[in-house]
Amino acid sequence: MTHFGKRLRWFGSEARRERAAGVHPRARGAQFDLRRRLALVCGFLGLGSVALLARALDLQVVDHAFYQQQGDARFLREIPIATSRGMITDRNGEPLAISSPVESIWGNPRELLKAPERLPALARALGMPQDELASRLSARADKEFVYLKRRINPDEAASILALDIPGVASQREYRRFYPQGEALAHVLGFTNIDDRGQEGLELAFDDWLRGTAGAKRVIRDNKGRIVENVDLVRAAQPGHDLALSIDRRIQYLTHRELRNAIAETGASSGSAVVLDVATGEVLAMANLPTFNPNAVGTSPRDAHRNRAVTDLLEPGSTMKPLTVAAGLEAGVITPATLFNTNPGWIPNGRYRTTDTHNYGVLDTTGIIRKSSNVGASLVARRLGDAQFYAFMRRFGYGQRTGSGFPGEAAGLFPSPGSPGWSGTSKQTMSYGYGLSATPLQIATAYAALGNGGLLHQPSFVKGQHNPPKRVLDARIAKQVLHMMQTVTEPGGTATQAAILGYHVAGKTGTSRKASAGGYSRRYIGYFAGLVPVEHPRFAMVVAVNDPDPTRKGYYGGVVAGPVFRNTMEGALRLMDVSPDNLDAWLAVQAAAEAKRMKAEGRALPVPPTAAAASAATNARALQ
């Protein structure tokens, strides 16, 4: 058998064996297809792996910045760093306004609305109705931030965060606190919930007091918690401190005495201002009604007004010393000039200028001592309209004092020839009607009299550069002061303003309140004074608005004089101001000692003769 035949025979037998084994002849080709397919699949997997590696390289190397930014946008946040507002102190460094750290609770509405079953517990912790919380969150459902409760105690905030509610977090803020409360409310003002000044000196010096918030980058988790501090973007800059001219002790005395006067007289309101004569610095400024700056929302809006700076009042007889000073400067009168005020009134256009009593003939000092409207009118008649107007303008009437206090009123003082000026204006203005001023303006004018004719702008900042300007000759200012001294001495209109051991220069004022078509039977009682006369240290103005006539009356010496006396007695002691009237003090002490000895039944000492007193003095000198 040939080789070909043998091979054919082998294939035939092999085919029979495969058929006997149940193997189809085409399966042999299928084995070769499986290998190709396996190779093809492996090829595709290899290409996919290469593509994945290429994409990973693209994401982590080529496009790394873009995707890092996208990731940061979901977890990296730039949050503010709260900073404290500058502290306000009095002239002695005592704190008047400080900032305390607090916490504010905020939430992510998107996260909170995903867990509505947690809202009842959160509402209870926040102290608000659940429906109110749900409404607030629903209104900001597309936002990621909403305040839930602001400026709360850190312990309270910690208890809320302890609930571990998704989307609830806290941030540090500061809240203003005023240790003096109502006593300094009108001077300091207050800040809003964002710690920005709204009224008073908090508003006037807001840029100085307010710090600059910082910023930092942090990573937050999905519950709003800070996981990591990444970077400090900007350091926080705290606000600057501010030292005021206010003396906390004198402020307390002023507020206390004004409150007592309002209670005793039944007045509707009152104001008091104390100035340092030598510098023009405001040592105290009080108003009633007042409010609590630590709880602003609990008081009526009208109580926030700083009446000593914003309210315009007709100054009444406090104008008379200035009218006399204008006459002395113009040379139309002297301290000895006599004025016939009989029969207690003189014509004033269609009306009459009248005195409370018929004082007869008065000298210049008597006009001030008796507070004669007729006498002041007779002085003003000797002055020209422009002359009178220019003099009062020099003392600040009809213009702001320059204190810088927000909302300060300029007052009303019409000029000659203006619609507000008539033929009777000068006469009525000479005793305080037909113009208006603030208590601060009156105090500033009186401080100029006490400062030898040098007028300082009133200042609320300790040590502020405040050069004076001369508005009156020092000799005339001294003459007027001594005339004003008689007001608080026996026979004057303000003996209740006298202070033992000190000479007090002052002037009462009682002006009727304007009403539609004239003046009503309602009054404002004033006292404006300086102490001590020889070297004036303090100028003080007290205005008591609408006192009840059935209680203590309504005259300025009665309703406002005691406020001046009691406040200045304390201030003179606090500032250690030497007495300038020791004779009166010694006389009172001797009378008290004699009364005590008489009550004890002891013999009264015999006053020594002049010779004996001289001998005793010499003997003591030789010892």
Side-chain angles (χ1 to χ4, degrees):
M1 183 178 291
T2 63
H3 176 71
F4 178 77
K6 292 179 179 179
R7 292 288 297 176
L8 184 61
R9 187 178 178 179
W10 181 84
F11 278 115
S13 61
E14 185 69 21
R16 286 192 297 270
R17 285 194 298 271
E18 288 178 352
R19 281 194 296 270
V23 178
H24 196 276
R26 293 182 178 179
R28 293 175 56 86
Q31 292 180 7
F32 294 101
D33 292 339
L34 181 63
R35 291 173 183 172
R36 286 195 299 270
R37 291 174 182 173
L38 182 61
L40 185 62
V41 169
C42 291
F44 276 119
L45 291 175
L47 290 174
S49 299
V50 172
L52 289 175
L53 290 173
R55 182 58 175 163
L57 181 66
D58 178 62
L59 294 176
Q60 298 183 37
V61 179
V62 179
D63 264 346
H64 169 75
F66 172 77
Y67 289 101
Q68 182 66 48
Q69 181 181 5
Q70 293 299 308
D72 290 346
R74 289 161 175 78
F75 298 101
L76 186 66
R77 293 287 186 271
E78 182 175 301
I79 63 174
I81 302 175
T83 185
S84 62
R85 194 173 176 87
M87 182 170 62
I88 300 178
T89 68
D90 80 340
R91 65 185 306 106
N92 300 311
E94 295 292 332
L96 303 179
I98 57 179
S99 292
S100 302
V102 292
E103 295 290 327
S104 288
I105 300 296
W106 64 273
N108 184 335
R110 293 180 180 178
E111 294 293 329
L112 285 168
L113 293 173
K114 291 178 182 178
E117 71 281 357
R118 303 300 304 277
L119 294 186
L122 178 59
R124 286 193 299 271
L126 293 172
M128 68 169 59
Q130 181 180 343
D131 57 348
E132 180 183 339
L133 175 61
S135 175
R136 183 183 299 185
L137 294 174
S138 298
R140 297 168 177 80
D142 58 337
K143 307 294 183 181
E144 294 184 352
F145 182 93
V146 61
Y147 279 117
L148 300 177
K149 195 171 186 179
R150 297 193 66 178
R151 302 201 304 183
I152 61 176
N153 187 288
D155 293 338
E156 183 182 353
S159 66
I160 296 174
L161 296 178
L163 298 175
D164 198 28
I165 299 175
V168 177
S170 71
Q171 69 181 34
R172 171 63 56 85
E173 291 188 315
Y174 288 88
R175 181 178 182 177
R176 208 63 160 161
F177 177 67
Y178 303 94
Q180 304 303 314
E182 295 181 348
L184 264 168
H186 295 103
V187 174
L188 298 177
F190 55 89
T191 60
N192 63 7
I193 197 168
D194 293 316
D195 216 23
R196 290 179 175 268
Q198 298 299 291
E199 291 186 8
L201 297 182
E202 289 277 27
L203 174 60
F205 294 95
D206 187 59
D207 291 339
W208 176 262
L209 293 167
R210 190 177 70 243
T212 303
K216 64 179 179 180
R217 291 191 182 94
V218 301
I219 295 177
R220 293 185 186 273
D221 63 11
N222 61 345
K223 294 183 178 181
R225 296 173 298 193
I226 295 177
V227 176
E228 180 183 355
N229 291 314
V230 178
D231 184 26
L232 177 64
V233 178
R234 182 176 61 256
Q237 299 293 329
H240 300 90
D241 292 343
L242 179 66
L244 300 184
S245 60
I246 296 291
D247 189 303
R248 178 180 58 88
R249 303 165 299 175
I250 300 177
Q251 178 70 30
Y252 169 75
L253 289 172
T254 306
H255 177 76
R256 183 190 69 185
E257 296 305 324
L258 184 63
R259 181 180 292 279
N260 291 341
I262 298 298
E264 292 174 2
T265 64
S268 62
S269 62
S271 300
V273 179
V274 180
L275 297 182
D276 187 309
V277 169
T279 64
E281 293 180 344
V282 180
L283 299 177
M285 179 178 286
N287 298 275
L288 287 170
T290 185
F291 66 98
N292 182 0
N294 298 306
V296 176
T298 62
S299 58
R301 187 68 181 84
D302 184 64
H304 297 176
R305 193 169 71 249
N306 187 345
R307 300 169 186 271
V309 175
T310 63
D311 282 19
L312 294 177
L313 312 170
E314 288 186 304
S317 295
T318 61
M319 288 292 292
K320 291 171 184 173
L322 298 178
T323 299
V324 168
L328 292 172
E329 181 184 75
V332 296
I333 63 171
T334 69
T337 301
L338 298 178
F339 300 88
N340 185 2
T341 68
N342 286 300
W345 64 270
I346 58 174
N348 186 11
R350 294 183 302 157
Y351 305 98
R352 296 194 308 183
T353 295
T354 63
D355 284 336
T356 306
H357 305 286
N358 181 4
Y359 298 118
V361 178
L362 295 173
D363 61 8
T364 304
T365 300
I367 293 174
I368 295 177
R369 182 176 66 251
K370 294 298 184 181
S371 193
S372 172
N373 295 339
V374 174
S377 299
L378 294 175
V379 173
R381 285 183 174 183
R382 302 187 183 195
L383 297 168
D385 291 354
Q387 194 177 28
F388 177 83
Y389 174 80
F391 183 88
M392 297 305 172
R393 286 283 294 186
R394 292 209 308 264
F395 277 81
Y397 288 90
Q399 54 195 315
R400 293 182 178 87
T401 63
S403 69
F405 197 91
E408 180 182 0
L412 298 174
F413 189 54
S415 60
S418 69
W421 184 278
S422 68
T424 63
S425 292
K426 182 178 62 176
Q427 183 168 321
T428 55
M429 287 179 183
S430 69
Y431 52 89
Y433 286 89
L435 74 160
S436 61
T438 66
L440 180 60
Q441 285 178 316
I442 301 172
T444 302
Y446 271 62
L449 288 176
N451 197 30
L454 294 174
L455 185 145
H456 288 275
Q457 291 183 338
S459 169
F460 288 92
V461 179
K462 179 185 178 182
Q464 183 175 359
H465 180 62
N466 188 15
K469 62 178 181 179
R470 180 161 293 284
V471 294
L472 184 66
D473 183 79
R475 178 182 59 84
I476 296 175
K478 182 63 71 175
Q479 288 176 339
V480 175
L481 275 184
H482 285 292
M483 294 179 189
M484 293 166 60
Q485 179 181 325
T486 65
V487 173
T488 61
E489 295 175 343
T493 58
T495 56
Q496 294 192 43
I499 300 174
L500 181 62
Y502 297 88
H503 290 299
V504 175
K507 185 68 193 77
T508 58
T510 307
S511 65
R512 293 171 62 177
K513 299 183 68 173
S515 63
Y519 289 89
S520 66
R521 290 292 179 181
R522 299 168 60 192
Y523 300 88
I524 303 172
Y526 297 96
F527 184 82
L530 298 135
V531 64
V533 170
E534 295 308 318
H535 299 285
R537 179 68 184 275
F538 304 116
M540 182 176 185
V541 171
V542 182
V544 178
N545 185 28
D546 205 13
D548 183 354
T550 64
R551 295 196 184 185
K552 293 184 65 176
Y554 54 84
Y555 288 110
V558 176
V559 299
V563 178
F564 174 91
R565 180 195 64 226
N566 296 335
T567 303
M568 288 294 97
E569 278 183 343
L572 291 165
R573 287 195 301 269
L574 286 170
M575 306 302 282
D576 197 23
V577 178
S578 300
D580 65 344
N581 189 12
L582 280 174
D583 291 341
W585 185 85
L586 292 173
V588 170
Q589 296 300 313
E593 177 66 14
K595 184 177 180 180
R596 185 178 63 82
M597 293 179 66
K598 183 177 181 180
E600 295 175 355
R602 296 163 55 189
L604 298 178
V606 178
T609 63
S614 177
T617 301
N618 293 334
R620 284 193 298 269
L622 293 173
Q623 290 178 351

